[in-house]
Structures are given as C-alpha cells and as structure tokens.
Amino acid sequence: MQAFDVAIAGGGIIGSALAWELQRAERNVVLLDRQQPGQEASWAAAGILSPSFEVPDSVPLVPLARASLQLYPEFVAAVEHATGRATGFRQAASLQIFFGEGAQRECGALITAHRGAGLPTRAISADEVRGMEPALNPDVRAAALLPDEARIDPRLLSAAVLEAARNAGAEVRAGVEVTDLMIEGGRCVGVLAGSERIPAAHVVIAAGCFCGQMQAVARYAPTRPVRGQMMAFRSPGVNLSHIVNSDRGYLVPREDGRLLAGSTLEDAGFEKAVTPAGLQKILAAALEIAPGLATAPIIESWSGLRPDTPDHLPIIGPTDVEGLWISTGHFRNGILLAPISARVIRDWMDGNALPVSMTEFSPMRFSENTIKQPR
Ligand SMILES: Cc1cc2nc3c(=O)[nH]c(=O)nc-3n(C[C@H](O)[C@H](O)[C@H](O)COP(=O)(O)OP(=O)(O)OC[C@H]3O[C@@H](n4cnc5c(N)ncnc54)[C@H](O)[C@@H]3O)c2cc1C
C-alpha cells in the first residue's frame, strides 16, 4: 500500500491551497473529499480580500490577514501560470459608507479602530465617495476608504488551485469520506475512509465546518456552521468599481459584470437554503447602497456554511498527537487566509520559522496542553 507524505481531508480552498503548497515542496500529497472538492463554503464566498474587521473579537486576525493579503499577488500569479486559468483577482480599495444621523460618529469610530490595528483606513467626504461611485445612494452621509484591499472570484480560484495541485502531482480523490484516524503508538499514521486505510506520515484535517462532526478531531476543531446567503444581479445600469460595505451588507463587483450582494449570518445547522427572510435582508442592504438596483434582474441566489469556532478565530497547526494537524475555522475569511494557512503549515512541517505568530490559532487552545511554534 502506498504511504503518502501528507493526507489532507477536505478539498475546499484551505485543503486545495495546502495540497498545492506541499506538493510544490516535493511532498507526496493525497487530497480526499467526500464529494467533488470545492463545492461548499469556498464555492459560496463573495471573494472579499480584506484584512479589516467589524468586531473587536477579530483584531487578533489582522496580522495573519495582512500577511495573507501580501502573499496574494504572487499566489494568484503562480496559480494562473500553472493552469492558464483566470481567477478574477483585482487589487482595489474598498469603501465603507454610513447613513443617518450617527454617520460621522460611526465612521470616526471605525477609522480609530482600524488605525489602532495598523490598518490605513481614512475618511473621505460624502461628495468624494459619490464621485468615485455615482451609483451610490445620494443619502450617504459619511465614508471611509480602505486602501489595501482586493477581491477575487472564489469559484474560479478554487477550481484553479485544485487543478494546480493536481498538475503538480497531488492525488485528488473525490467521493472519499474520511471517517477516522489511524493511530499507532500514539502517532497519527493515516486516515480511514470506511474500511479503506490510507497511510500517511502527516494528516491535515481541513474539512471546514464539518470538522466539528468528525469525532476523532472535534476536540481540536469544534467548528459549527454559520449560514450565509448571497445573491447576484446583472445590471449594466449600476456599475461599481469598488467593493462597497454598509453596516447592513455589501456589494461586490465581479470582473464578468455581475454584482454580488450579501450576506446573512445565520445559525441554521447544516441546512443550506435561500430563504425569503434572508433575501429580504440582502435586498434591503443592496438597495440602500445602490437604489438603481431596484430594476436589475436577479440572476442567482445561493447559500453556504462558514466554518465558525468558539472564539471566531481559525484553528491552524499541529495537535498533541504527532502527525495530526488541523487547518479550519476560517469563518468569514477563508478565501483571504488560504495562502498564509498553507504557507504556515508547510513552514511548520519543514521546521522553519513561521512568518507570523500562530499562538492564538493553536488547535490546542480548547484543551489544556500546548504546542510551541518553531522560532
Ligand atoms: C456567503 C459566504 C460569503 C463568504 N465571503 C467570504 C469572503 O468574501 N472572503 C473570504 O475570505 N471568505 C468568505 N467566506 C468564508 C469562506 O468561504 C470560508 O472561510 C472558506 O471557504 C472555508 O474553506 P474550507 O476549505 O475550510 O471549507 P469548505 O470550502 O467548506 O470545504 C470543506 C471541504 O471538506 C469536505 N469534507 C467535509 N467532511 C469531510 C470528510 N469527513 N472527509 C473528506 N472531506 C470532507 C467538504 O466536502 C468540503 O469540500 C464566505 C462564506 C460564505 C458562506
């Protein structure tokens, strides 16, 4: 039986990017997905690549997010070169707009919080923002510019990264559900897929929100699904060149002319569904941002399950079982964080110093033991 250097469970953007990174580093990788890879959260995402944050809980993520965003141009260029596929990557500032009486105060608070975390967010006038995006609601009262941001088409990216991993020599197996770990002498030596044994020197569990359902790893990766609904318009009359966020939702322009609107944050178990209440919320936000969308054809709606964790931070790194690694819990930022998550695990496996501190993202933080990161 062939023993792989690394077996990865889960072929979303996190597992695929890791498979590609490790295979390029001459490790012999098998990527296992219980369905066709790339059909879950990574397929549903909006593709906003932003290191900014909405709630103070997310501040620890900023250095990791910035490090990942810095890797993005090279990551995308390498994927596109390896596959000949486009990914819809575009580096462009994002806008945050505010309505109503409290607009100036809310905008000021956002800028102060972002500056405190080292982000170069700055105020722009309502006139300036309407000049940049004439389709915006004339009722905008205050705005902020987030300069170092980008966007991508996650469906194109996921497919391209998977193909790049395959082209580099990774074995990709669809329809293979990892059901348990192979543990020998206290070490993880592979995975079980039903009665099939798949030996590997290292195992990385990257099964998104489904990790919490896997009995063997749930103590390291207690993920839960948070549903997000999305919709897309085709509207030649409403052109945006920036991502526009409000406190109710966002609009994301795609390179192919579609305009995406999102999203919801729902506790709905594992049920992927588009609901009237969800669409109503998204539509209200979209029309408040760009009222001209009222007559635009809706061309698609969908939902996906974000992998959330008890502290809303990702879970990345080794466990106290030798050979067992976790990379999940990327919640609202998995597309953004894919390059750095892959790089960190490769560096860790190679015994190299890590590009960023990973202490706060340890799989061991939900239990009492700790694992030290290499210096
Ligand atoms: C509506 C929405 C909008 C979003 N917008 C953004 C955004 O703008 N920017 C951003 O950065 N992020 C965004 N996200 C978050 C992002 O999509 C996720 O964080 C990311 O896709 C998680 O990737 P993943 O590979 O961990 O999980 P997934 O893409 O869910 O992949 C997990 C894979 O594991 C497989 N699997 C599960 N169990 C097993 C098993 N036992 N054995 C084998 N395989 C298994 C599944 O089949 C699946 O293919 C958004 C998410 C949603 C839902």
Side-chain angles (χ1 to χ4, degrees):
M1 199 182 320
Q2 184 190 4
F4 293 93
D5 295 328
V6 186
I8 301 171
I13 191 64
I14 297 299
S16 302
L18 179 61
W20 187 47
E21 180 87 25
L22 292 174
Q23 190 70 46
R24 282 196 296 167
E26 311 277 305
R27 290 184 189 256
N28 183 20
V29 176
V30 62
L31 180 69
L32 308 163
D33 200 294
R34 64 180 182 181
Q35 53 178 327
Q36 283 300 323
Q39 299 302 305
E40 292 291 345
S42 304
W43 176 89
I48 300 169
L49 304 178
S50 167
S52 69
F53 54 90
E54 287 165 13
V55 288
D57 278 5
S58 306
V59 172
L61 208 53
V62 173
L64 193 69
R66 293 183 85 176
S68 206
L69 193 57
Q70 269 181 5
L71 293 178
Y72 242 99
E74 186 201 318
F75 172 72
V76 162
V79 174
E80 292 187 345
H81 178 74
T83 60
R85 287 170 177 257
T87 59
F89 180 62
R90 169 71 72 95
Q91 289 174 288
S94 298
L95 300 169
Q96 180 87 31
I97 57 173
F98 300 86
F99 296 95
E101 279 182 13
Q104 294 294 347
R105 183 178 34 80
E106 288 164 28
C107 183
L110 179 94
I111 290 168
T112 305
H114 280 192
R115 292 264 173 89
L119 296 170
T121 305
R122 63 180 169 84
I124 55 174
S125 71
D127 284 347
E128 204 179 336
V129 79
R130 283 193 296 267
M132 290 168 76
E133 294 290 6
L136 289 185
N137 191 331
D139 290 343
V140 172
R141 288 285 167 271
L145 182 91
L146 293 70
D148 297 338
E149 309 237 326
R151 60 184 188 257
I152 200 158
D153 185 328
R155 296 180 191 173
L156 297 180
L157 178 72
S158 298
V161 173
L162 191 69
E163 190 177 312
R166 231 187 227 123
N167 291 351
E171 185 172 328
V172 177
R173 293 180 59 188
V176 178
E177 176 164 3
V178 171
T179 51
D180 209 345
L181 305 172
M182 289 163 55
I183 304 286
E184 281 174 18
R187 196 194 148 91
C188 184
V189 294
V191 294
L192 291 175
S195 58
E196 188 186 0
R197 295 166 65 83
I198 303 170
H202 297 274
V203 168
V204 185
I205 305 296
C209 70
F210 307 97
C211 291
Q213 287 184 314
M214 298 169 77
Q215 223 187 336
V217 299
R219 71 192 158 114
Y220 305 113
T223 55
R224 73 175 188 106
V226 172
R227 186 169 73 192
Q229 300 184 41
M230 297 282 303
M231 66 200 312
F233 304 91
R234 190 169 296 283
S235 176
V238 178
N239 292 310
L240 291 181
S241 47
H242 302 81
I243 291 173
V244 183
N245 298 285
S246 76
D247 65 350
R248 298 170 80 181
Y250 53 75
L251 292 176
V252 180
R254 281 273 190 272
E255 299 305 294
D256 62 7
R258 285 178 301 150
L259 205 53
L260 269 56
S263 178
T264 57
L265 283 164
E266 298 167 84
D267 186 0
F270 289 91
E271 190 191 8
K272 281 187 285 180
V274 174
T275 64
L279 293 186
Q280 189 176 38
K281 178 183 178 294
I282 296 168
L283 278 172
L287 295 183
E288 185 183 47
I289 295 172
L293 284 174
T295 53
I298 296 170
I299 53 172
E300 193 186 348
S301 60
W302 67 95
S303 74
L305 304 174
R306 304 177 186 90
D308 193 13
T309 66
D311 55 12
H312 313 298
L313 296 175
I315 304 170
I316 306 166
T319 67
D320 57 353
V321 175
E322 214 186 322
L324 176 63
W325 305 71
I326 308 287
S327 189
T328 186
H330 296 80
F331 193 31
R332 305 185 73 177
N333 295 292
I335 306 299
L336 169 64
L337 296 173
I340 193 72
S341 302
R343 176 66 56 85
V344 158
I345 291 191
R346 191 196 79 185
D347 280 340
W348 218 319
M349 283 184 179
D350 288 348
N352 296 335
L354 305 187
V356 275
S357 168
M358 296 299 290
T359 314
E360 286 182 271
F361 313 119
S362 169
M364 301 308 300
R365 69 184 185 270
F366 305 109
S367 69
E368 297 202 332
N369 302 335
T370 52
I371 303 264
K372 286 217 172 79
Q373 73 174 55
R375 291 184 184 280

